[in-house]
Every structure is written in structure tokens, then in C-alpha cells.
């Protein structure tokens, strides 16, 4: 063709010239990221074998960064590189020699990393809350900084640079791991710090930048809020607590109030109060802590006038350790005395219980006893249980004999012993009267309504003789110190003179009365007086003792002298405070009160001389007291504002002391309540205030101004706020609210009817003046003012929206095959200044369109930036196939309107993978096959399986792996292609129909073990196997049923026959064939047809002819029905397996036999008649042998599925003993019955046939029941101890 030479022309010209194109074989170049503009980048190199001059050029989109010198090939940087934006560049390099066609090649350029990026913290801001009791070592937050560089320059390490508040302890409170996890290093304490701010430094591992090693870093702050937990017990305020209340005061009288607070200020649990004391006459309000009187108080009945109460303060909730948070304090309540008791008399000596009063006393005295001698045998004690002056009473005598005696003492404070003393000795005359009676009166002068008690004192006079020893003095005045040690000598000797001589002049001394001997004793010979029991010497109880010192001579003549023993005072009594001291005064006024007290020690001595002083305390410097008079005054005017107590109470403790040695003292609290006076002006807490509000904030809150008033009462410290009229002041409202005592807040807000327009304002602010006025002030001077600047800000008022397209097409494969980021949801906001944060609202799990509960709640995590992360390796399609995340996005900068978007739902489809193998389901029942009547495609068993996966992954198909016949002797024979399986679907499962694949051998005995595999349909395929047992019923169980009706009649009655047989046997009836019957044997029953049948149970057990016969005979109704249907004979089938060779032999043998029979037929006619009778006898013998089982035959337990019987002679399947079969007896004569031995078919006897008995000689002459057995068998009776063994019935059962 003419155009072929034209195509070859260029090639011919090039070949003719001999010049070749340049060669450029550079493959890759590397350029540093921090290269500066104009610096050398790399060298292009090409060569030309012809030596031609080469020019270079570069092109392509990435050539934007470079400039190439056309002549030298030097490439310099034209624009800055950024590896993090583009790490690989490609340019097209073109080289040309000017002769040949230019050569172009693509040259990859790798941008080498340099450390030009600092770590960038992600997901800011960092804020977290931590419980106060967080365990040391816990990770409380994890920060993360990303560095876009590579290598060591991308390895970020963290450190904590600063902890705010900045203390040494706080620096050691946290540390940070290399992973960015902030760990708690020490315990938190909410009471110390409620907030921390950590300055965290992130720095990379360093790298080259402009040929220098550079480390890049960045910082951020982590804000940690400490959440208070209840771990502290409450605490009582203003301890200690003490108060007083007079006895007899009304029930409900307030004593004082205790106050406790929860030290967990962030929790501030409610506190309830209670007493721990078991039984006290006070009650406490469980809410306010006010203690009141709950019972009528009787100071004299109390164990002590000071009642000590233990108050328990308990928080309403348990602490974090599960314990009750509580604290206790002691409260001392002094029950002050009221003069409500009169003095009473008691008869007792040194120890008195003061339970039973006494109004009659009897004593004795020697006539003409000296003046001041006490009446002996009197033990009178007078007592007034009131305290101090209330317990002081007078004593005096009345009556006709009162002038002869006097009482001592005449005045008692509290309790004292009373003596009746002789006042007129001459009046005490035995010859005038033997008995004298006086009335002893105790009069409480301070209680005029019930003042006095009276006691009658009967004095018996003792007669004396005329010759008595005489003492030089009639009276001796002795002194002894109270509480003196036992044995102290009071007087060395006091002797009497008796002029008598001899024994009558020998004088012995004795102290009288006998009661005085408990305290004093006398030396019987010397007359020395000593202390016997110094512990009974108490001057305050009894200052003077009077005793008779008796001098007795040998003739029992006695003389006496009076001993007046004065007990000297010892300082052993503390001062007693009279009354209680509660004073109320207005601030600025003076306080003046006198502390009154007494001392029961001896009057006029230092022991009873009292002094007063103020005990150092909170307010001790505010008062002064007279040391001698006890007058208390304030030093300077009282200021209510200087008193810390909310009730304005100042408690000053005064010590009252005596001047004795040792010095004793008593404390008393003086409570001064200072009433508040309005003498302070409100004060603002700040010099000025500045607030900002957004435009269009109608009626919105602007800010709070706060002021205080130092006055301590609510009315005097009440503050009211108002706005001073000025430009714009009408746009605002201010309201007052009480924050606490003297602290008020003025809440400034926009007037609801005013709308502020930011754009319409020239000045974007309002300048206001707020006035604070004390509403209780009498003049206008109690007003303070402060300037308030209100700035108006623009408003972010558009809600964010979630981009709908970002909610579509999300799917995740199950089992954690996808981790970390699986999807990103996007949101938008029309506001220019916004910060959008996604928030997950709920998670819904669905499987197949129905709820799956909460199985998927932790599978995915929605991050604030919209990233959806797979958070679990447990994502399981079989549990949940759809996960719906309901979310919204929040604009953190929203100032007005809705800050949230509409709720949107992200639907995540879970993609199934083949991770479950098929599971076979249980199939009830037993599988049985009758080979003779089991054609190909007959279903003989089923399997059922399911697969939790879906689609192809969950589609199951079945295969038969193996078929093994286990024979009765245990031998296993494998078969192939004997069975097949057909798979079909059934709702959520699959069914495998096990069918016959080829003709089964009916002569085989045993059970088939069929191994079936269930396999799913997707890779990687999962499979499971199971083994079925199919029991086979061989030909030995085929039974002939002979009918007198034709084949057609039997077939037409087939269902009725089946029903009757099933009713009798409860077994499955399998008909193998129905054919005409042609039998030349002589029988009385002329059968026309025969039905070959198997009787099989569901467990693989089959009936033989004997068992069938027993069942039919055991049910007369079934028997009658079958007879009506034409049944004549039940017999075993002929089990043969003819082959062609056997069939030929049979034919020949039959012809030969026919010939022989034909020749001998005449002879046989006679012989058969004789044999008929013999065969009957043989049948009876065989029957007995079959029905009588000797014990030696029974070998133990039966074998399931066979006709071998156990020791109890019962079939395990049928659970009954078997009788032999019988002829149904459709013949009319019994003389020509066919034999019933094993060579003939059994005939069924009619139940109406006459019984017969044949007598024969027995091989066991001793067995007398032989005839009974035979007759019973023939009459369908069950003889005792009968069983039947058929060794041919051996099919294996389950």
C-alpha cells in the first residue's frame, strides 16, 4: 500500500543522522522542609552521549514550589514547603538537546521533616471534677497533645509547670505520666482547697530546624474542681455551754441553745440534736438545739444542783465510710435554789439519810446538872435542804419546862446537830418531877407560808446521891481544831477531889453522854481529854460540843464538871454563790451589779473573808470588779458590734475566793446581754461595680451590689437599695435581699418593659448610682452610694444545626474489626463567634426491628468534636444490628435563645461477619427404618440447625459425612450413598431431611450411625457435626396375616385393619405387601390372601408373631373386629433371600418333589391322617416346653430391643410376659389341626372353641401341674411363673 513508506520515513532519517536524545535517569530527590526561598534544593542531572548542550525545564502543579536553571539544572526553592500539608511532590522534568525530541520524566520529591511544629493540645478546654476522697494514685484526667512532625520530634512528653494555688504542698499533689494522664499524688481536702488549676507543658523530643536542634513546646491549663464528700463530723460552736434555771420553773422554760455545723461545707447536711443521757429533766429541740425544761425541777431531789447534759449532734446522712457523722458536747445546767422547803427534824447520829422525819425525842439528864449540860441520849439533827440563806433557820423551845432548858445552836444553815442544854439547874429537880417535856421549834424565817416544824422532847431526870467527887471548876473551856487527827490531846488532865479515902476516894473518869464518846475520849485515870474520831469534827456542822466529865469514886458516887469544847475553824468550805447573774443592757450604757456570796467557815476569820476577781477570758478586759464588795462595772461603754455572739451575750467568769489557807474559790458566770442600737451606716463592699449584659435581655439579671451594716440586730442592720435618678436609670430595677446578718444584696435587673438595642445606642453603657439606706435610721445620714457601670454586649442568638448529610450511610463491622474513628458528624452555626460541642443524649439498640435492650450502650463514643469512635471489641451483630445514637450540638457561646440544636439520630448499621457456626437443635423421637418397605427418597430421619449469623453467613446446608452400620455383635460396616440429605428452610432454622438414597438390605440387623454436617454458606465457612442413630428392623420381624377374604377386599378394608392393629399394639403398622395366598398344605382355614406386616415401636423395638398374638387375644373387641374383617391366621413370614441360582434349584427340587408326591399320594393320604393326630400331641409338648421356663434358663437382665427377657420374665419394652400364639380356630373340627411346632404357621384359636386336654406320659413324673399348664395355655390363661424365649428376636434397641 502507498502509505507504508511514509510511516517509515522519520525513522529512516533519524538513523541516517546518527544523533540520539538525552538520557535522564534520576529516580527520586529529597528536600528539607525548612529550606528557605532561593536556597539550593537539588540538581537535575542528564547526559547526552552525543555531547549536545542540554537544557532543563520543570512543569506540573508541584513545580509551583521550585525554579530550575535551564542551563545548569540547579533547582532552587521558589515557595515555602510544608511537609505536614504535602509530604510528597511530583514534577515533570523535561530535558532537550535541541535536536531530538525532548525527553520528559516524572521526578518524585520527598519533603524531609523538620521540627517546625509545636505540640497542639486537643479537645480543649480541659476541665474536670474530682471527689474529695479520690484514691491516691488514681488518674483524674488525661490530656493529649499532637505533634504533626515525625520521629523524635513527634514524641510528646508532659510535665506540670505550675499548680494554682501555689503552695509547696500543692506542687506535690499531682504528677503527670508520659501518656498525659494526670495522677493524684496526695489526698485532697475540700476544706483546704476547692479548686486547682494546673499549667501543663507539652514538649516534643526535639529535632533539626535550620540546622539546629530545636525543642518545641506549648502549654495549657487543666481546671480541677474538688467535690466535697461527707467525711467530717459536725462541730459545735461557742463551746463550752453552761446555763442556769431556777427550780420549780414552768415546764418548757428555755435554758440555752446549742449550735452545731456540718464541717463539710460543700455538703451541709441537716443536723439533728439529742441527749445521750438516759433520763434527764430536760428536752432538746432536734432541729434548733434549744434546751428546755421537760419536768418540774426540784433541786433538793436532784443528785447534784449541776446537771451535766451530753448533747449529740448527728447529720442526716451517713458519711462516705457508711458511719454516722456525729459529735457531742457537754452542757452544764445549774439548777438554782428557791426557798421551797421548811426545816425538819431527824433522829440520827453521825450519818443520816434524811428520809424519815421525827417529831418525838426522848433523853435523860441528872438532876441539878450544871448549866449548859446537854440532855443525854438525844440524837437530834435539824435540816433544811434549801441552799445558803434559803436553808437558814432558827431554833427555840416552848412549853412549861422551856425555861429550865435552852437549845444549842439557835441558828443553823442547812444541817446541824441540836442539843438541849440545862439553863436553870435548880429547876431540874427529880423530887419535883421525874419527867420534863419541851417543844423544839425550827422556824424558817424566809418562808412565811410554810415556816416551821415542831418536835416534842421528853427528858427523863436521873436522881444523884450527896457524896460526889468535886472538880475545882464547874466548867472547863477547851479548844480543838476541826478535822484533828485521832488521839489529839485537848486537855492534859482534869482531876476531881473526893474527900473520901480508900476505894471510895479512887476516882475514874468518863465522858457523858455516850454519844460524845464517838468523837472524844478521856483517860480513865488521868482525866486527860483526847480526840477519838477527828473526821467527825466539822465546825460548820457543830461549832461547840458540851460534855459532862464524870468522876466516879469507888462507892459509885459521881461528880461532874462541864466541858465546853469549842471546834476551831479550818478553811475547808468553798464560797457559796447566792443567786444567778443575767443582765441586759443597751450598747453604750454601763453595767453595775454586785456578786453576792457567803462562806460557811467561821465568821470574822480569813476563812470566811471573801474576795472577788475576774477570770481572764474573751471579755475579761471589758469589766472590772471590786475585790472586797464584788461590785462589777464595765470599763468603757459596751459596743454591740464588738460582741461576736449572735444573741449579743458577753459571759464574764468571776472567781469568788476566801483568804484562808489553803485558799478556796468558786466560779460564777455573769451573762451580759447587750441590746443593739442603730449606730452604724451601711457600707458597700466595693468602691464601684461594673456589669455587662447582652442586648434584648428584657427583664434579665444585671448584677448584684452588696453592702453591710455593722449593727447586729436584724432591724438595725436592714438595708434597702434604690437607684438614684439619672439618665437611663429608669431602664433598671433593683431589689433587696438578705444574705445574712447585716449582709444585703441589691439585685440589679433590666426593667421588664424595656428592651435595649445595642445598635441604637451611641454609648454602649449606662452609668448608674445605687443608694443603700438603713431603713431603721432616724435621719437621712445613714445612706451610702456607689457607682455602677453597665456595659451592653452584642448577642449570639442563633442555634446550631447538625449537617443532615453527615448522619447518613454509617456502617460498622462487628467483633471490633473497626476500631477508633468510624465516622464524623458535622455541625454548623450561622453565628460567627461560636464554639460547637456534640453531646450524646441516648443510645438505642435494635435487633430485627425490635428493641435489644442496652447491649450496645458502650459500643460507640461520641466525642465533643463530632467524632464517633468504636469503643468496644464486643460489637455483635447477633445481639444488635442497628445502633441509634441520639445527639445534639451545643453552642458554648450562645448568649440568647436556644443553645442546643434539634435532637438528631445517627443510625449505625452493624455489618455481620461469619463468626458463628451452625448449631444443631434438639429433635425429639427415635428414628427407625424398615428396609423392606423403605423406597428411595423415603424420609427416615430429620435434623434441625440454626445459625446466628445473617444472610449467606447464616444460610445452612447439610451434608452426610459418613454412614456406619453397627451390627448386633458390635462390628461396624461403613456404607456410601446409602442415605442422602435434603435441606429446607423453616423460619429462623433449617431442616435436613434424611432420605433413603439406595435400596436398603432388609437382612441386615443393627443400627445405622449417620454423621451429618451443618455448614454455613459464606467464607470463612463454619461447620458443626452430629451423629444420628437410625434403627433398622430386619425381615425376622415380618409377620403374615392370612385373611379369608380376597386381596381386593383386604385392600378396601386396609385402613380399618390398620386402625384395629394399632389400637391393639400401640405400634406403627408397616404393610410390606398384600397378595393372594396359595398354600397346598392341608388346613381347615382356606385363606385367600395374606398381608405381610411389620409392627415397630418408636424406639426401634419390633413385635414378633407371639407378641402380636398376645396383644390381639388380650383385647376381645379388637379380636372380634379383626375376625369380622376376615383375619384367620397369624404366622411368621418366610425369611428368604432368593438368588437366581437358588430359584433354579428350588424349581428343580419342586418338580422332583411333585413327582415323588404324585407317586406316593395314595400312601400319604393314610399317613397324613395318622400324623395329624401325632402332630397335635407334639404341639402340646412344644407348647409346654415353650411356656415353662426353668430357673436355669433365666440369665439376668434383659437386653433392650431384643426378645430376651430379664429375671422378672418381662420384656423391657412391653413390660409383660408373653403367651404363645394360637390358631384363631376358623375350622370346625379339632381332629385335623395343623401342628404348632416350628415347622408350621401358627393358627389363632377362636375364643369360643372348646378346651381340650391331651394326656401324655411326662418326662418329669413329679410335676403335677403339667396338665394344668397345657389347659391354661389353650384357654388363654396365664399360668404362674411363665416366660417365653425366642432367640431369633435380637434387633438392637435404643
Amino acid at each position: 500500500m502507498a502509505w507504508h513508506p511514509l510511516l517509515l520515513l522519520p525513522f529512516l532519517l533519524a538513523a541516517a543522522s546518527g544523533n540520539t536524545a538525552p538520557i535522564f535517569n534520576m529516580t527520586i530527590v529529597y528536600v528539607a522542609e525548612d529550606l528557605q526561598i532561593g536556597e539550593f534544593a537539588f540538581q537535575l542531572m542528564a547526559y547526552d552521549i552525543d555531547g549536545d548542550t542540554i537544557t532543563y525545564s520543570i512543569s506540573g502543579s508541584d513545580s509551583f514550589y521550585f525554579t530550575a536553571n535551564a542551563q545548569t539544572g540547579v533547582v532552587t526553592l521558589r515557595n515555602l514547603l510544608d511537609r505536614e500539608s504535602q509530604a510528597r511532590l511530583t514534577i515533570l522534568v523535561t530535558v532537550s538537546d535541541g535536536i531530538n525530541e525532548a525527553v520528559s520524566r516524572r521526578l518524585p520529591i520527598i519533603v524531609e521533616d523538620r521540627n517546625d511544629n509545636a505540640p497542639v493540645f486537643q479537645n480543649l478546654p480541659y476541665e474536670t471534677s474530682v471527689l474529695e476522697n479520690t484514691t491516691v494514685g488514681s488518674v483524674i484526667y488525661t490530656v493529649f497533645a499532637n505533634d504533626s512532625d515525625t520521629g523524635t520530634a513527634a514524641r510528646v512528653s508532659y510535665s506540670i509547670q505550675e499548680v494554682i494555688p501555689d503552695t509547696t504542698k500543692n506542687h506535690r499533689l499531682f504528677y503527670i505520666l508520659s501518656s498525659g494522664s494526670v495522677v493524684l499524688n496526695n489526698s485532697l481536702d475540700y476544706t483546704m482547697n476547692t479548686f486547682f488549676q494546673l499549667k501543663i507543658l507539652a514538649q516534643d523530643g526535639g529535632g533539626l530546624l535550620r540546622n539546629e536542634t530545636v525543642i518545641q513546646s506549648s502549654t495549657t491549663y487543666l481546671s480541677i474542681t474538688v467535690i466535697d464528700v461527707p467525711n467530717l463530723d459536725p462541730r459545735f460552736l461557742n463551746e463550752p455551754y453552761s446555763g442556769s434555771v431556777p427550780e420549780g420553773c414552768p415546764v418548757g422554760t428555755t435554758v440555752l441553745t446549742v449550735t452545731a455545723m456540718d464541717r463539710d461545707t460543700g455538703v451541709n447536711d441537716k443536723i439533728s440534736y439529742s441527749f445521750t443521757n438516759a433520763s434527764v429533766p430536760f428536752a432538746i429541740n432536734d432541729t434548733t438545739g434549744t434546751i428546755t425544761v421537760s419536768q418540774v425541777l426540784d433541786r433538793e431531789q436532784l443528785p447534784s444542783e449541776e446537771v451535766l447534759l451530753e448533747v449529740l449532734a448527728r447529720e442526716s446522712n451517713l458519711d462516705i465510710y457508711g458511719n454516722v457523722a456525729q459529735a457531742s458536747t457537754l452542757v452544764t445546767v445549774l439548777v438554782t435554789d428557791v426557798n421551797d422547803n421548811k426545816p425538819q427534824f431527824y433522829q440520827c447520829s453521825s450519818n443520816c439519810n434524811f428520809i424519815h422525819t421525827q417529831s418525838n425525842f426522848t433523853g435523860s439528864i441528872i438532876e441539878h446538872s450544871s448549866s449548859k449540860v446537854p440532855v443525854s441520849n438525844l440524837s437530834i439533827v435539824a435540816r433544811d435542804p434549801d441552799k445558803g440563806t434559803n436553808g437558814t433557820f432558827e431554833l427555840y423551845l416552848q412549853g412549861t419546862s422551856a425555861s429550865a432548858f435552852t437549845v444549842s445552836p439557835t441558828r443553823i444553815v442547812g444541817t446541824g446537830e441540836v442539843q438541849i442544854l440545862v439553863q436553870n439547874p435548880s429547876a431540874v429537880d427529880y423530887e419535883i418531877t421525874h419527867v420534863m417535856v419541851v417543844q423544839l421549834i425550827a422556824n424558817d424565817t424566809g418562808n412565811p407560808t410554810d415556816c416551821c416544824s415542831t418536835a416534842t422532847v421528853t427528858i427523863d431526870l436521873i436522881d444523884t446521891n450527896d457524896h460526889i467527887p468535886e472538880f475545882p471548876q464547874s466548867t472547863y473551856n477547851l479548844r480543838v481544831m476541826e478535822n484533828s487527827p485521832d488521839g489529839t490531846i485537848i486537855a492534859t488532865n482534869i482531876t476531881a477531889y473526893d474527900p473520901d479515902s480508900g476505894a471510895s476516894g479512887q476516882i475514874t473518869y468518863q465522858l457523858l453522854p455516850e454519844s460524845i464518846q464517838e468523837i472524844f475520849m478521856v483517860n480513865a485515870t488521868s482525866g486527860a481529854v483526847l480526840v477519838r474520831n477527828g473526821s467527825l469534827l466539822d465546825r460548820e456542822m457543830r461549832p461547840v460540843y458540851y460534855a459532862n466529865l464524870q468522876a466516879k469514886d469507888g462507892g459509885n458516887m459521881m461528880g461532874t464538871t462541864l466541858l465546853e469544847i469549842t471546834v476551831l475553824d479550818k478553811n475547808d468550805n468553798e464560797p457559796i454563790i447566792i443567786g444567778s447573774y443575767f443582765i441586759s443592757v443597751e450598747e453604750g450604757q454601763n453595767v453595775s451589779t454586785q456578786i453576792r456570796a457567803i462562806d460557811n467557815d467561821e465568821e470574822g476569820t480569813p476563812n470566811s473573808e471573801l474576795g472577788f476577781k475576774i477570770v481572764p477570758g474573751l471579755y475579761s478586759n471589758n469589766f472590772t470588779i471590786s475585790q472586797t464588795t464584788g461590785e462589777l462595772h464595765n470599763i468603757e461603754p459596751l459596743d454591740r458590734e464588738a460582741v461576736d455572739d449572735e444573741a449579743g451575750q458577753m459571759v464574764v467568769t468571776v472567781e469568788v475566793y476566801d483568804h484562808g489557807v489553803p485558799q478556796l474559790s468558786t466560779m460564777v458566770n455573769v451573762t451580759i446581754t447587750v441590746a443593739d442600737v442603730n449606730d452604724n451606716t451601711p457600707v458597700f463592699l466595693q468602691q464601684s461595680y461594673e456589669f455587662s449584659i447582652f442586648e434584648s435581655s428584657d427583664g434579665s439579671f444585671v448584677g448584684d451590689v452588696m453592702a453591710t451594716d455593722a449593727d447586729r440586730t436584724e432591724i438595725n442592720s436592714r438595708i434597702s437599695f434604690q437607684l438614684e435618678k439619672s439618665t437611663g436609670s429608669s431602664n433598671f430595677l433593683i431589689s433587696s435581699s438578705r444574705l445574712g446578718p447585716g449582709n444585703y444584696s441589691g439585685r440589679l435587673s433590666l426593667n421588664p418593659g424595656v428592651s435595649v438595642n445595642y445598635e441604637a445606642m451611641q454609648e454602649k453603657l449606662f452609668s448608674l448610682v445605687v443608694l443603700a439606706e438603713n431603713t431603721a435610721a432616724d435621719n437621712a445620714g445613714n445612706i451610702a452610694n456607689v457607682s455602677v457601670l453597665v456595659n451592653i454586649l452584642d448577642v449570639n442568638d442563633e442555634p446550631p444545626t447538625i449537617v443532615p448529610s453527615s448522619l447518613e450511610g454509617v456502617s460498622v463491622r462487628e467483633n471490633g474489626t473497626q476500631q477508633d474513628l468510624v465516622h464524623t458528624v458535622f455541625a454548623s452555626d450561622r453565628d460567627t463567634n461560636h464554639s460547637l460541642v456534640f453531646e450524646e443524649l441516648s443510645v438505642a439498640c435494635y435487633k430485627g426491628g425490635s428493641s435489644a435492650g442496652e447491649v450496645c450502650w458502650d459500643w460507640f463514643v461520641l466525642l465533643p468534636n463530632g467524632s464517633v469512635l468504636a469503643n468496644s471489641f464486643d460489637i455483635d451483630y447477633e445481639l444488635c444490628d442497628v445502633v441509634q445514637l441520639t445527639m445534639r450540638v451545643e453552642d458554648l457561646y450562645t448568649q440568647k435563645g436556644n443553645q442546643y440544636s434539634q435532637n438528631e439520630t445517627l443510625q449505625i448499621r452493624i455489618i455481620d461477619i461469619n463468626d458463628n457456626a451452625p448449631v444443631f437443635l434438639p429433635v425429639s423421637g427415635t428414628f427407625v427404618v424398615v428396609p423392606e418397605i423403605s423406597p428411595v427418597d423415603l424420609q427416615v430421619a430429620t435434623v434441625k440447625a440454626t445459625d446466628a449469623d445473617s444472610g449467606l453467613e447464616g444460610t445452612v446446608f447439610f451434608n452426610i459425612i459418613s454412614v456406619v452400620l453397627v451390627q448386633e455383635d458390635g462390628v461396624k460396616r461403613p456404607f456410601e450413598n446409602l442415605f442422602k440429605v435434603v435441606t429446607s428452610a423453616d423460619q429462623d432454622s433449617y431442616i435436613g431431611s434424611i432420605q433413603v438414597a439406595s435400596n436398603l438390605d432388609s437382612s441386615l440387623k443393627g443400627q445405622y450411625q449417620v454423621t451429618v454436617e451443618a455448614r454455613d454458606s459464606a467464607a470463612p465457612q463454619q461447620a458443626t457435626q452430629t451423629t444420628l442413630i437410625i434403627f433398622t428392623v430386619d425381615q425376622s420381624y415380618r409377620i403374615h396375616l392370612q385373611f379369608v377374604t380376597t386381596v381386593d377386599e383386604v385392600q378396601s378394608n386396609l385402613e380399618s385393619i390398620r386402625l384395629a392393629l394399632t389400637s391393639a399394639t400401640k405400634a406403627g403398622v408397616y404393610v410390606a405387601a398384600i397378595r393372594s395366598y396359595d398354600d397346598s398344605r392341608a388346613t381347615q382355614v382356606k385363606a385367600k390372601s395374606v398381608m405381610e406386616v411389620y409392627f415397630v415401636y418408636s424406639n426401634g423395638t419390633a413385635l414378633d408373631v407371639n407378641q402380636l398374638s398376645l396383644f390381639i387375644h388380650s383385647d376381645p373387641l379388637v379380636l372380634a373386629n379383626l375376625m369380622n374383617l376376615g383375619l384367620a391366621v397369624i404366622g411368621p413370614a418366610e425369611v428368604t433371600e432368593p438368588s437366581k441360582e437358588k430359584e433354579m434349584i428350588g424349581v428343580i427340587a419342586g418338580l422332583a418333589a411333585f413327582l415323588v408326591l404324585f407317586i406316593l399320594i395314595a400312601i400319604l393320604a393314610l399317613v397324613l391322617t395318622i400324623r395329624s393326630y401325632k402332630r397335635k400331641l407334639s404341639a402340646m409338648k412344644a407348647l409346654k416346653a415353650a411356656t415353662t421356663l426353668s430357673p436355669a434358663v433365666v440369665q439376668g437382665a434383659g437386653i433392650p430391643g431384643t426378645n430376651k427377657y430379664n429375671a422378672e420374665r418381662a420384656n423391657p419394652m412391653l413390660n409383660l410376659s408373653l403367651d404363645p400364639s394360637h390358631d384363631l380356630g376358623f375350622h370346625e373340627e379339632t381332629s385335623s389341626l395343623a401342628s404348632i411346632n416350628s415347622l408350621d404357621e401358627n393358627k389363632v384359636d377362636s375364643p369360643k372353641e372348646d378346651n381340650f386336654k391331651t394326656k401324655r406320659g411326662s418326662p418329669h413324673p413329679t410335676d403335677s401341674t403339667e396338665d394344668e399348664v397345657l389347659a391354661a395355655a389353650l384357654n388363654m390363661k396365664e399360668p404362674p411363673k411363665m416366660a417365653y424365649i425366642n432367640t431369633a428376636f435380637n434387633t438392637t434397641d435404643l
Side-chain angles (χ1 to χ4, degrees), residues 526-836:
S526 67
V529 181
L530 301 89
V531 175
R532 180 186 293 275
N533 189 349
S535 63
L536 299 179
L537 291 174
D538 186 357
R539 192 204 67 82
E540 288 71 30
M541 287 292 293
R542 187 170 179 178
V544 179
Y545 289 86
Y546 295 94
N548 284 327
L549 179 59
Q550 184 186 73
K552 181 188 294 185
D553 59 16
N556 290 328
M557 300 295 290
M558 294 174 289
T560 61
T561 186
L562 176 65
L563 301 181
E564 181 176 320
I565 305 172
T566 301
V567 181
L568 301 178
D569 187 46
K570 182 180 180 180
N571 192 23
D572 60 346
N573 286 279
E574 298 174 353
I576 298 173
I577 307 299
I578 299 175
S580 56
Y581 300 89
F582 295 91
I583 304 169
S584 296
V585 65
E586 286 189 352
E587 64 177 321
Q589 295 183 356
N590 294 323
V591 173
S592 177
T593 188
Q594 184 178 18
I595 309 301
R596 294 187 300 139
I598 61 172
D599 194 313
N600 286 332
D601 289 320
E602 188 175 0
E603 295 180 0
T605 66
N607 293 341
S608 61
E609 181 182 354
L610 300 181
F612 303 84
K613 64 180 179 181
I614 296 176
V615 177
L618 183 63
Y619 302 106
S620 59
N621 294 331
N622 297 78
F623 298 88
T624 181
I625 192 169
S626 172
Q627 292 184 358
T628 57
T629 64
E631 291 186 353
L632 181 71
H633 302 278
N634 56 306
I635 298 175
E636 56 188 22
L638 300 179
D639 186 4
R640 174 64 180 82
E641 286 71 36
V643 180
D644 295 331
D645 185 80
E646 289 185 2
Q649 290 185 345
M650 305 173 71
V651 179
V652 178
T653 302
V654 175
E655 180 181 6
V656 182
Y657 58 90
D658 60 25
H659 291 79
V661 178
Q663 190 180 73
L664 301 177
S665 63
T666 303
M667 304 292 184
V668 62
N669 286 336
V670 180
T671 303
I672 301 101
T673 302
V674 182
D676 187 43
V677 175
N678 190 9
D679 57 350
N680 289 278
T681 301
V683 177
F684 283 95
L685 297 185
Q686 294 180 210
Q687 293 183 352
S688 62
Y689 291 86
E690 184 173 356
F691 305 112
S692 297
I693 61 171
F694 296 100
E695 63 173 338
S696 303
S697 302
D698 301 347
S700 65
F701 168 73
V702 176
D704 287 327
V705 297
M706 286 179 283
T708 63
D709 192 314
D711 292 319
R712 298 305 297 271
T713 58
E714 197 274 338
I715 188 169
N716 289 336
S717 62
R718 188 180 301 164
I719 299 174
S720 174
F721 297 90
Q722 57 184 348
L723 291 171
E724 187 179 77
K725 290 185 178 180
S726 61
T727 302
S729 63
S730 60
N731 295 329
F732 298 88
L733 300 176
I734 190 167
S735 61
S736 302
S737 61
R738 184 175 182 267
L739 303 178
N743 293 319
Y744 283 79
S745 170
R747 170 153 292 205
L748 187 64
S749 60
L750 272 176
N751 193 324
V754 174
S755 178
V756 179
N757 189 339
Y758 178 87
E759 289 72 18
M761 297 177 61
Q762 294 182 352
E763 291 187 357
K764 311 303 182 181
L765 56 86
F766 291 94
S767 181
L768 308 175
V769 175
V770 177
L771 305 179
E773 180 181 5
N774 189 323
T775 57
D778 296 330
N779 53 63
N782 286 356
I783 297 178
N785 61 74
V786 69
S787 62
V788 178
L789 193 65
V790 181
N791 298 301
I792 306 302
L793 305 177
D794 200 7
V795 175
N796 179 335
D797 55 356
E798 292 292 335
T801 57
I802 297 177
V803 178
S805 60
S806 66
L807 298 172
E808 301 173 353
V810 184
S811 60
V812 175
R813 295 174 65 86
E814 68 171 334
N815 292 347
T817 52
Q818 289 178 248
Q819 286 294 306
D820 299 325
L821 182 66
V822 297
H823 187 67
T824 301
V825 183
F826 299 98
S828 63
D829 193 319
R830 289 190 294 174
D831 295 318
T832 57
N833 183 24
H834 59 262
S835 176
L836 303 184

Side-chain angles (χ1 to χ4, degrees), residues 29 38 43 149 178 184 240 372 388 424 585 604 642 660 766 856 885 914 965 986 998-999 1145 1159 1276 1279:
V29 295
Q43 173 71 55
D149 297 317
S178 58
L184 184 65
K372 301 297 185 181
N424 185 2
V585 65
F766 291 94
C856 67
L885 300 181
N914 192 14
L965 174 67
D986 181 17
S998 62
N999 292 327
I1145 294 172
I1159 296 171
M1276 285 305 295

Side-chain angles (χ1 to χ4, degrees), residues 1152-1201:
F1154 178 77
L1155 182 61
V1156 172
L1157 291 173
F1158 182 77
I1159 296 171
L1160 299 176
I1161 191 165
I1163 301 171
L1164 288 176
L1166 178 61
V1167 173
L1168 290 175
T1169 303
I1170 299 171
R1171 288 183 64 187
S1172 176
Y1173 180 74
K1174 291 182 179 180
R1175 288 172 70 181
K1176 283 187 177 181
L1177 295 178
S1178 299
M1180 287 186 288
K1181 181 179 179 181
L1183 175 62
K1184 182 176 183 180
T1187 57
T1188 303
L1189 178 65
S1190 66
V1193 177
V1194 182
Q1195 300 297 324
I1199 301 173

Side-chain angles (χ1 to χ4, degrees), residues 11 36 120 141 160 175 430 503 554 576 645 793 1067 1089 1196 1258 1294:
F11 300 100
Q36 299 299 302
V120 178
Y141 198 84
I160 297 176
Y175 65 89
Y430 181 84
I576 298 173
D645 185 80
L793 305 177
S1089 60
S1258 172
L1294 283 175

